[in-house]
Structures are given as structure tokens and as C-alpha cells.
Amino acid sequence: MQFVEEIVVDEFLPTVRSLLAGDLRDRGFTQSEVAEVLGISQSAVSKYAHGDVTVNDRIATDDRVQDLVEQLGTGLAAGEISPVQALIELEVLIRELEAGGDLLAQLHEEAVPELADHGSGFRVHDPESDLRTSERVLSSLRRGLRILETAGGFTALIPAVGSNLVACTPDADDVDDVAGVPGRIFDVKGRATVPADPEFGVSEHVARVLLSARRHGADVAAGINITYDPELIDELAAQGHVAAEFDESDDVASSVGAAIEDEPAATVLYQTGGMGIEPLIYVLGSDAESVADTIRSLV
């Protein structure tokens, strides 16, 4: 008796780890850095590097495996993919290859010929799981933050209260479903400073503006707050954005909702401030990268 999980452990994992370790080494990672990213020992990395680990050629030459290894290598090297997300993406590929008739299922049937008579798949995990969805949002957010960090002049758009780039899951219902930067983004000596990796549930105000816009029909999943300037509104309008003004109040949901109802296509919301209230612009979009790109176009 042999389980498909044994094929994964004995054939798939050594092969993919070997390919990924080689990819990262080619990108300039040290042996210790590869070990840390893959969660294995340096001696294991050494074995992969010296060909002391048996590689399954059928797995190694599969286009999907090669494509994912390259994608993960690129993302891990750039800091755009976390080790957790890499693990999830590999898990999803494993379940795809375990499906009836696919590569791992074929290897399993060859090891246990009796299985071929059943023709059933072995897909046991949902590739659209909540964890994978959350990791996709965080990955998008990291890429958006990288765009902002490298955008010359972005600090001029950061308001006194700080900026926050946020993004939410497709079925977001409250602030816990919205990821953002803990502590917000601030201008520190002329540099946009992101104090920590993005997390879910750390944004209040920008998250509520995003959620309120979505609840009133706006087709958006990310947003950012920047300093208010009428010229910025004009520039955004010239780029094709629809702007709508709302009143800053204790009931953000109602005021944002009213603005969206007046301008259903609005992707820019703004309020001009008041007693003790800083005027702000909120730029909304389909994902964190597109929002960051819009901000970059303003500087």
C-alpha cells in the first residue's frame, strides 16, 4: 500500500526543492539564504547543489513545475512572494497534479496499479482557499508598496496623518478582511517609510472608506489616502478618474455611500477638511498595484 502523499514526499518535494534551490543560487542567494527561504538545513542545500538528491525527471521537466519554480524564484528574490505564499502555491500545484490522470496521479497509479481501475482523482484541497486568497492580497499589497517606495516624489503626497495603502479580499465584510500597513506610511527625512510588513485588520480609516465604497456598489478592492490638493483632483480627472466629494463626519459609511450614489463610477473620493480634520484624497482601484501606479503618475 502506498499513498499519493508518499509520492509527493519521495519524488515531488526533493525535485522541486532541488530546482528552486538551484534557481535561487543562480540569482545570487547564498547557501544559508537558500536554506532560510526554503526552511531546510544548509547541509540539505549542499546536497541539492552537488546533485546528491535524486530528481524525478518527469516532474522536473513538467512545464507547470518549471514555470512555478521560475515564478517563485523571481518573487522570493524580489521580496514580492513570502515563503508562506510559495508554500501555498506549491500546495495548489500538488493538488492539481494529483487530480485523476495528471502527473502525480499517474506516478501513483504506476506504483499502485490497482488504482487505475477506479479512475478517481485525489484533489483534497481547495486551491481557492481563504489562506491562498489572503496571501494573494498580501502579495499584491507588497508589490504596490514597492512601487510607492521607489516612486520619486511620493513623500510630497503623504499627509500629516500618514498614508496607508490597503487591499481587501473579494468578499470583504469588515476591517479584518482588509490588509494594510501597521502604523501607516510616513515621510522620514524625505523617504517613504513602510514600518512593517502588511497585515490584515491594521487599518481603520482607509479600510472603512474602501469598504463603504464597495458596499455602495463601487467595483474596487484597494485604496490609498494622500494629501488634498485641487490640482491633484484635476490631474486625476484628466487621467480618466471620476471624483466625488464627501463630508468628513463620524459616520464615514453614510457620507462615502452618498458620494458613491451620486457618482457610481467614482474612483477618487475627497474631503476638504474642517475644524481639526485634515483634507484628504482617497484613490481607489482594482488592486494595490494599480492604485500605486496611479499615485506614481502624480509625482
Side-chain angles (χ1 to χ4, degrees), residues 17-18 20-42 44-46 48 76:
R17 279 176 173 164
S18 179
L20 193 49
D23 182 276
L24 292 173
R25 289 287 281 165
D26 289 343
R27 295 176 190 274
F29 275 51
T30 65
Q31 187 167 294
S32 62
E33 288 172 337
V34 172
E36 182 179 357
V37 169
L38 298 186
I40 58 179
S41 66
Q42 289 192 48
V45 176
S46 178
Y48 290 133
L76 289 167

Side-chain angles (χ1 to χ4, degrees), residues 241-294:
H241 292 273
V242 175
E245 182 177 2
F246 71 97
D247 295 326
E248 182 67 37
S249 66
D250 292 335
D251 189 357
V252 173
S254 294
S255 56
V256 169
I260 292 294
E261 288 175 1
D262 288 340
E263 292 286 358
T267 52
V268 172
L269 301 172
Y270 66 96
Q271 49 89 10
T272 56
M275 183 67 68
I277 298 176
E278 184 177 11
L280 296 170
I281 296 173
Y282 299 84
V283 178
L284 309 178
S286 59
D287 53 52
E289 297 103 311
S290 64
V291 170
D293 281 333
T294 297

Side-chain angles (χ1 to χ4, degrees), residues 59-287:
I59 295 174
T61 57
D62 185 274
D63 289 342
R64 292 161 295 181
V65 172
Q66 292 182 344
D67 289 346
L68 184 57
V69 166
E70 182 178 0
Q71 175 188 331
L72 296 182
T74 300
L76 289 167
E80 295 174 351
I81 292 178
S82 69
V84 171
Q85 186 183 10
L87 177 63
I88 293 170
E89 296 297 335
L90 285 169
E91 179 78 5
V92 170
L93 178 60
I94 288 171
R95 302 314 161 191
E96 178 182 339
L97 298 179
E98 284 179 351
D102 218 319
L103 180 57
L104 291 180
Q106 293 172 14
L107 294 174
H108 194 200
E109 289 174 0
E110 290 169 11
V112 188
E114 296 85 354
L115 287 172
D117 297 332
H118 293 276
S120 59
F122 300 94
R123 189 184 298 271
V124 295
H125 290 285
D126 180 5
E128 299 303 324
S129 66
D130 290 343
L131 180 57
R132 189 181 189 215
T133 298
S134 297
E135 282 297 325
R136 281 174 171 169
V137 172
L138 290 172
S139 179
S140 172
L141 199 48
R142 292 187 193 99
R143 289 192 292 270
L145 289 169
R146 186 177 296 275
I147 291 171
L148 294 178
E149 287 179 300
T150 58
F154 168 58
T155 54
L157 302 182
I158 298 177
V161 296
S163 287
N164 210 334
L165 178 65
V166 304
C168 67
T169 58
D171 58 351
D173 184 58
D174 58 36
V175 294
D176 288 334
D177 300 318
V178 182
V181 178
R184 302 185 183 180
I185 308 166
F186 285 98
D187 174 5
V188 178
K189 295 182 178 180
R191 294 187 60 183
T193 301
V194 179
D197 286 338
E199 299 176 16
F200 280 91
V202 297
S203 172
E204 285 287 337
H205 195 73
V206 183
R208 292 191 185 282
V209 170
L210 174 63
L211 290 170
S212 298
R214 286 169 55 86
R215 287 178 186 138
H216 288 82
D219 186 17
V220 293
I224 190 173
N225 64 314
I226 59 174
T227 189
Y228 172 78
D229 186 325
E231 292 184 2
L232 292 176
I233 298 295
D234 292 341
E235 175 60 27
L236 289 164
Q239 293 181 18
H241 292 273
V242 175
E245 182 177 2
F246 71 97
D247 295 326
E248 182 67 37
S249 66
D250 292 335
D251 189 357
V252 173
S254 294
S255 56
V256 169
I260 292 294
E261 288 175 1
D262 288 340
E263 292 286 358
T267 52
V268 172
L269 301 172
Y270 66 96
Q271 49 89 10
T272 56
M275 183 67 68
I277 298 176
E278 184 177 11
L280 296 170
I281 296 173
Y282 299 84
V283 178
L284 309 178
S286 59
D287 53 52

